[in-house]
Amino acid sequence: MSANELNTTARTLLEIRDQIAQLQAEAEALTDTLKGAMVEAGREELAGDGWRATWKNVSSSRFDQKAFRAENPALAARYMKATTTTRFLVGEVTA
């Protein structure tokens, strides 16, 4: 791939990521609007023409790693597993 093609590819990727961020912000605003309507109506569920939205509390239990490590450092160290990942970053450079 030529330098020009790489530049075009990277710029296109950055533009698409920007579009995704804009769409995510728009989706969040629309979500907040629906949640507001649910609060106003005092309902956990709303439905319309071909859609349904629910907003309910869900309980779950999770392992508190931080507290476990603080209270049992030797035991926690025995079960730690090192991992390696590869990170790919593309960003704009400002002069």
Side-chain angles (χ1 to χ4, degrees):
M1 211 176 226
S2 71
N4 190 37
E5 290 172 318
L6 289 172
N7 285 333
T8 300
T9 299
R11 283 191 204 111
T12 301
L13 176 59
L14 292 172
E15 288 172 7
I16 290 171
R17 285 182 178 172
D18 185 50
Q19 291 171 3
I20 290 169
Q22 290 173 14
L23 289 170
Q24 285 175 330
E26 186 176 342
E28 190 173 319
L30 294 170
T31 297
D32 289 345
T33 299
L34 288 171
K35 286 178 178 179
M38 294 168 103
V39 168
E40 187 176 308
R43 297 174 57 189
E44 292 183 337
E45 182 177 323
L46 288 178
D49 186 19
W51 64 273
R52 184 177 78 134
T54 61
W55 190 26
K56 299 177 182 182
N57 291 327
V58 177
S59 297
S60 65
S61 296
R62 295 198 169 111
F63 183 72
D64 188 345
Q65 242 183 61
K66 186 177 180 181
F68 183 79
R69 272 191 253 136
E71 294 174 18
N72 305 285
L75 185 57
R78 285 180 42 204
Y79 290 93
M80 295 300 289
K81 182 170 102 175
T83 61
T84 303
T85 60
T86 303
R87 182 171 42 177
F88 176 75
L89 300 172
V90 176
E92 292 187 48
V93 178
T94 55

